[in-house]
Amino acid sequence: MDIQGITDNRVTVNVHGGIADVRLNRADKRNALDDALFTSLAAAGEALKTLPGLRAVVLSGAGESFCAGLDFGSFKGMSQRDGKTSTIGTMVGDDAITHLAQQVCWVWQEIPVPVIAALQGHALGGGMQIALCADIRIAHPDTQLSVREVFWGLIPDMTGTLMLSHLVRPDVARKLVYTAKILKADEGHALGLVTQLSEDPLVAAQTLATEIASRSPDAVRAAKRLLTRKLRAEAAEQFAAEREEIHQLIGSANQNEAVMAYFEKRSPEFRDD
C-alpha cells in the first residue's frame, strides 16, 4: 500500500508485511540528488520512524542506478553561492544534529528497524553516503562506488566521515576519500563497504528483510539501538565539523576550479594559499 503523504514524484514508499520499500524515483537522472529529492527522502525516512508495525526497510533506486550523487546543476550553482548554504544546508530542526543533506543519510540510522540498501549501477558521492548509513548494503558486483566529493573540490559532508570510520580501516577510509576513486562493488565488498554481492540486489534485500521481519521485533529494535549506540555518541560533534569544513569549501577558488575544469574538459589548475 502507499503511505498517504509520503509517496511523491521523487520518492515512493510502499509497505507490505511490515517491510517498507523506499525507492528513489528519478531514474532518468540516475536518481541524482536535487533539492526536491533531498526533501522527499528525508520526509520519507522521518515518517517511517514512527510507523506502527514496521519491521524492516529496503532502500533502493529506480532504474539503472541507486544514486549517482548530486545533480550536476547543484555543482554549477555552487560557484555563485560563495560559501552560502542552500536549502539542503538548512538544519532540519532546532534541536537537530543534522542539516538536510546529512539527514537524508542519518535518518536511516534513526529509523528503529534495520535498513537494507540495494545497490546497482552507481552509488557515488551523496548516493554512496546514503548507502553507508543503511545497516546492510547488498550490491550487484558491477555497481560503481565512490566517495567522490574530493573530485569536486568538496569533502564527504553528508555523514560520510563518520560512517566510513566505522566500516573500514582508517587508512582505507583515507585512501577512498583522498583519491575519490571509483571502484566496483566486488572490490568494495573486499574492503568492507558492501555487505553482500548479488546478481539481483533488490530481490536479495527483500529476501533478507523478510527473514528479519520474522524475528521478534522487540529484540531486533533493541539490537539496533545497541549497535548504533557508539555512532550516536560521536555523531553530533562530527556532523558539526563536516558542516564547518564544507562551508569553507563551497564557492572557494579551488572548488570552483575543480568543477569548471570538469565541465570544460581540461586538467584543473589549483593554487596554494
Side-chain angles (χ1 to χ4, degrees), residues 171-188:
D171 58 322
V172 172
R174 291 170 190 241
K175 181 180 179 182
L176 292 170
V177 172
Y178 298 160
T179 64
K181 177 183 177 182
I182 296 176
L183 57 153
K184 286 189 176 181
D186 54 358
E187 185 178 353

Side-chain angles (χ1 to χ4, degrees), residues 6-45:
I6 300 179
T7 297
D8 62 16
N9 65 337
R10 284 291 194 265
V11 177
T12 64
V13 182
N14 294 279
V15 180
H16 179 72
I19 299 170
D21 181 313
V22 181
R23 201 160 301 185
L24 284 66
N25 192 37
R26 203 181 180 216
D28 59 321
K29 299 292 186 179
R30 296 188 300 170
N31 297 311
L33 296 160
D34 62 359
D35 283 2
L37 183 48
F38 272 106
T39 301
S40 295
L41 194 55

